[in-house]
Amino acid sequence: MENQDYQITEEELQRYRERGYSEDLLPKSLSKRMMGKMNYFTLWMGSVHNIPNYTAVGGFLFLGLSPINIMLALVISALAVALFMTFNGRAGSKYGIPFAIHLRSTYGDIGAKLPGFLRGCVAAIAWFGLQNYTGSLALLILIGKIWHGFLTLGGDTMILGISIPGLIAFTIFWAINMLIGFGGGKILNKFTAILSPLIYIVFGGMAIWAIRAAGGLGPILSYDVTGAAHNISPVFVYFMIINSVLAVWAAPGASVSDFTQNAKSTRDQTIGQTASFLVGYGIFAFSSVVILIGGSIRYGIQEWNILNIVDRWDNSFAIIIAMLVFLLTTVSTNATGNIIPAAYQLCALFPKKIDYKKGVLLASVISFLIMPWKLMENSASIFIFLNTIGAVLGPVAGTMIANYYFVQKQKIDLNQLYMDQKADNSHNIYKGLNKPAYVATIVALIICLSGNFIPALKVISDISWISGFVSAFVLYLALRKLFDKK
């Protein structure tokens, strides 16, 4: 019966409230969970179609695989992401606990601070900056179509490696996202239902345009990318693509319990999320490759940035609609997936000095100072970014899953987990620091970053999320066994 979803009683919830836990951290009772299969099916489908994802596919085209193999690799990647999200989300759907508590069950109440910082601050702030920059590129094109003189402001003057119009567009879009972050992102829920179908209408129309522009599907599928790296093993290229897609979802995947705690059942979140990723990425795999290659054929160039293809269209109205969809998608995913988790994590780390709004402001300023436009200077830079995110969060994911399934055996003692801070917790298994988990995470992080400094180990860093996940998974179980014997 251990795999049944746990039904917490009102008496237990009241006891945890009396121990000082806020409503946001309490387990969700089954009666208050409102997300079913269809909710999870639509949860991620819109988020697949963002600018960094299309940019990543542009980079995949230069890895030497044929267009049809890239599509297949993306679908396999979607299956890998679905398995990651559903398996790591099981603790949330079974016990109704959020990410912060899920982390505590793995690392201990003190040990949870580092992985929480890696997900909520490092990954979230970096993604927030990148999404702001990619969104600002769409805004730059949009403003340029309405005010042609805007693009020539400042001439060739560059500030910190970005043009004056680019810096203005980035600052405007950055400020919009920050302001939405102050509001908690709640206003975004009002247009999500309209945005999702609009995304598929726009991108479906773009795919049809690309097929016609290329003279049919045949020229697209037989397209040979000039300058592609044909010296890399096709099998390893598959792993690189799978790793990159996993890295895209590394942050929401690590904290997926924040979503699965609202599941009506574990079965619902498993079926819903799996269908969401397979269908969403199936459509994305076809549309992204078709649009990028079709646009390259149409304009006689090799273009890895989808925004540059849209910018070449003759129809200004179509350009404006496409750019608006990109902007809305970016705002929708950026606020709820990046700036809000970053702000809450900063609050958790410095509760006496930083409140939520100060957290939003601090995270936003940091995201500006890291100059995210440097991350998309060429088709290879997106890989560097994704591998860094993978290196940071792959070990956390490997440790969490190893602990829940092979150490805890899918059993969590909520009464100990929601410990009484005033009581003697010396024998509480969740008190302090889970040393094997901590060591496994740190060592795995070092391993998957090693290729950046040791050329012979570059292959490890090229698939950093996978290598970090596997390293942490194996190391933690080995260390746990040694620790338990002592």
Side-chain angles (χ1 to χ4, degrees):
M1 300 297 290
E2 69 179 42
N3 290 326
Q4 281 189 335
D5 293 333
Y6 182 77
Q7 176 60 60
I8 192 167
T9 65
E10 187 57 41
E11 289 76 15
E12 288 175 300
L13 289 173
Q14 184 56 36
R15 182 164 67 247
Y16 302 153
R17 291 188 188 97
E18 291 172 354
R19 291 177 179 177
Y21 289 93
S22 67
E23 292 295 327
D24 291 333
L25 294 179
L26 290 178
K28 290 283 183 70
S29 61
L30 288 175
S31 61
K32 293 184 178 180
R33 303 190 199 176
M34 309 309 292
M35 294 185 69
K37 288 188 287 289
M38 283 305 299
N39 298 103
Y40 285 102
F41 178 68
T42 58
L43 180 61
W44 305 116
M45 291 184 71
S47 300
V48 171
H49 293 270
N50 59 61
I51 302 171
N53 271 2
Y54 275 87
T55 302
V57 172
F60 298 158
L61 293 173
F62 289 89
L63 294 177
L65 286 184
S66 66
I68 194 70
N69 271 293
I70 291 175
M71 294 181 192
L72 180 59
L74 287 169
V75 173
I76 295 173
S77 302
L79 179 59
V81 173
L83 289 172
F84 169 43
M85 299 287 273
T86 55
F87 272 85
N88 202 38
R90 186 177 181 84
S93 60
K94 181 178 180 179
Y95 290 100
I97 56 175
F99 170 60
I101 302 300
H102 188 188
L103 267 187
R104 178 180 291 182
S105 73
T106 302
Y107 289 92
D109 62 332
I110 295 175
K113 293 183 182 297
L114 174 63
F117 173 77
L118 293 177
R119 188 276 178 255
C121 295
V122 177
I125 291 174
W127 263 118
F128 183 66
L130 180 65
Q131 292 277 20
N132 279 337
Y133 176 63
T134 55
S136 74
L137 294 178
L139 181 61
L140 182 64
I141 294 172
L142 186 62
I143 296 174
K145 293 300 175 184
I146 299 172
W147 174 21
H148 298 292
F150 176 73
L151 299 178
T152 61
L153 291 177
D156 296 328
T157 302
M158 303 290 285
I159 300 177
L160 301 175
I162 188 172
S163 68
I164 290 179
L167 183 60
I168 293 172
F170 175 79
T171 304
I172 293 172
F173 195 67
W174 170 82
I176 291 171
N177 280 266
M178 181 175 64
L179 290 173
I180 292 175
F182 283 137
K186 296 179 181 179
I187 192 173
L188 297 173
N189 295 328
K190 297 181 180 179
F191 65 80
T192 299
I194 299 174
L195 181 60
S196 293
L198 184 60
I199 287 170
Y200 286 94
I201 291 172
V202 170
F203 287 109
M206 290 175 67
I208 293 172
W209 165 83
I211 292 172
R212 289 179 176 175
L217 196 56
I220 292 175
L221 296 180
S222 61
Y223 188 77
D224 186 22
V225 177
T226 303
H230 294 291
N231 59 334
I232 306 176
S233 165
V235 174
F236 187 67
V237 173
Y238 263 78
F239 274 104
M240 289 178 68
I241 293 174
I242 294 169
N243 180 79
S244 294
V245 175
L246 282 166
V248 167
W249 295 95
S255 57
V256 70
S257 290
D258 282 340
F259 297 94
T260 58
Q261 68 166 332
N262 296 303
K264 293 179 180 178
S265 69
T266 293
R267 184 173 181 271
D268 279 354
Q269 69 96 349
T270 301
I271 294 174
Q273 288 202 93
T274 301
S276 179
F277 282 107
L278 290 179
V279 174
Y281 262 97
I283 297 171
F284 171 76
F286 178 79
S287 65
S288 60
V289 172
V290 164
I291 293 169
L292 289 169
I293 294 180
S296 296
I297 293 174
R298 169 66 177 82
Y299 297 113
I301 58 171
Q302 287 190 166
E303 184 54 69
W304 61 276
N305 190 330
I306 191 172
L307 296 180
N308 292 339
I309 291 176
V310 174
D311 190 31
R312 290 173 178 268
W313 288 354
D314 298 325
N315 191 320
S316 296
F317 178 76
I319 294 174
I320 291 172
I321 294 297
M323 293 304 171
L324 282 174
V325 169
F326 276 127
L327 289 171
L328 291 175
T329 303
T330 303
V331 170
S332 178
T333 58
N334 208 15
T336 55
N338 296 318
I339 191 61
I340 293 174
Y344 278 126
Q345 190 57 45
L346 287 168
C347 292
L349 290 171
F350 310 103
K352 295 182 179 180
K353 296 182 178 180
I354 298 178
D355 58 17
Y356 173 75
K357 290 189 175 181
K358 288 181 180 178
V360 170
L361 180 61
L362 179 59
S364 298
V365 171
I366 294 173
S367 75
F368 200 115
L369 294 177
I370 64 174
M371 296 185 290
W373 47 87
K374 295 287 187 181
L375 299 175
M376 287 186 65
E377 288 182 326
N378 54 63
S379 59
S381 58
I382 189 70
F383 286 109
I384 297 173
F385 175 78
L386 290 176
N387 279 334
T388 303
I389 295 297
V392 167
L393 292 179
V396 174
T399 304
M400 291 175 73
I401 289 179
N403 182 72
Y404 182 68
Y405 288 94
F406 295 94
V407 176
Q408 294 178 324
K409 309 289 186 185
Q410 301 187 59
K411 293 181 179 179
I412 295 177
D413 187 335
L414 291 184
N415 188 51
Q416 286 200 57
L417 188 57
Y418 286 89
M419 62 186 72
D420 188 343
Q421 302 296 330
K422 297 179 181 179
D424 178 13
N425 289 298
S426 57
H427 299 291
N428 191 312
I429 60 174
Y430 305 113
K431 179 67 176 177
L433 175 70
N434 181 351
K435 294 179 182 177
Y438 220 67
V439 172
T441 301
I442 296 297
V443 173
L445 175 62
I446 294 171
I447 288 173
C448 53
L449 286 174
S450 60
N452 295 325
F453 310 101
I454 305 173
L457 300 178
K458 185 177 182 298
V459 64
I460 294 176
S461 295
D462 284 342
I463 51 171
S464 60
W465 191 95
I466 295 174
S467 58
F469 180 95
V470 173
S471 299
F473 187 95
V474 174
L475 278 170
Y476 175 59
L477 293 182
L479 290 170
R480 185 78 252 180
K481 199 168 185 179
L482 290 172
F483 186 83
D484 289 343
K485 283 183 180 179
K486 292 182 179 180

